């Protein structure tokens, strides 16, 4: 199993980005996928996760209403739309996959076993 995140970049406050996580290998659309953010000096935190749209999604409080996670089962991708970005949203964003099927997802990194390489998001004026 491999996960590859892309779509990061430099954006001004208030701007938007769309991150994409491409998942390859033997997986199931019922396996939860999470997006995590890491910044220097801070613990890696989960910002959003999904099993299936409108069935099981979860967001960290600071991103609710600004970030949107979506899943395309045919392309085996999980996207994260980042809107109204703020400087504190800067960091390395990584996607992760849980190896067991579940109806629910978690924002805790212990729930994920497969991790991709991150993509850098910088919000600066």
């Amino acid at each position: 199993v491999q996960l590859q995140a892309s779509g990061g970049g430099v954006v001004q406050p208030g701007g938007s980005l769309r991150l994409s996580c491409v998942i390859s290998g033997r997986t199931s659309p019922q396996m939860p996928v999470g997006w995590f953010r890491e910044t220097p000096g801070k613990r890696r935190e989960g910002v959003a996760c999904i099993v299936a749209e409108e069935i099981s999604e979860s967001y960290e409080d600071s991103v609710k209403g600004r970030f949107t996670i979506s899943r395309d089962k045919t392309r085996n991708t999980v996207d994260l739309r980042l809107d109204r970005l703020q400087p504190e949203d800067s960091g390395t964003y990584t996607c992760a996959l849980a190896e067991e099927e579940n109806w629910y997802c978690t924002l805790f990194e212990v729930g994920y076993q497969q991790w991709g390489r991150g993509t850098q998001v910088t919000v600066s004026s």
Side-chain angles (χ1 to χ4, degrees):
V1 176
Q2 288 188 325
L3 295 89
Q4 181 62 53
S6 63
V10 180
V11 63
Q12 291 187 340
S16 298
L17 284 172
R18 188 177 190 91
L19 308 183
S20 183
C21 177
V22 178
I23 305 167
S24 59
R26 193 181 180 98
T27 63
S28 159
Q30 201 66 32
M31 292 175 176
V33 175
W35 277 98
F36 291 80
R37 175 173 64 203
E38 190 166 15
T39 56
K42 287 184 65 176
R43 188 185 183 92
R44 182 162 58 186
E45 61 178 347
V47 296
C49 67
I50 189 169
V51 179
E53 291 180 33
E54 299 181 2
I55 297 176
S56 180
E57 302 173 14
S58 187
Y59 297 91
E60 193 268 330
D61 286 345
S62 70
V63 309
K64 284 180 181 176
R66 300 189 300 118
F67 290 10
T68 306
I69 193 168
S70 61
R71 187 167 196 165
D72 186 328
K73 294 179 181 180
T74 57
R75 293 170 56 230
N76 212 8
T77 58
V78 175
D79 289 354
L80 184 66
R81 171 79 181 184
L82 289 64
D83 292 314
R84 305 202 308 273
L85 281 162
Q86 304 165 5
E88 51 266 36
D89 294 320
S90 298
T92 301
Y93 284 71
T94 305
C95 55
L97 175 78
E99 290 180 332
E100 291 191 6
E101 295 182 342
N102 204 322
W103 288 106
Y104 303 100
C105 64
T106 177
L107 295 177
F108 293 104
E109 60 180 291
V110 69
Y112 300 89
Q113 295 76 43
Q114 297 291 339
W115 293 79
R117 297 182 67 178
T119 184
Q120 182 68 33
V121 172
T122 302
V123 184
S124 174
S125 55

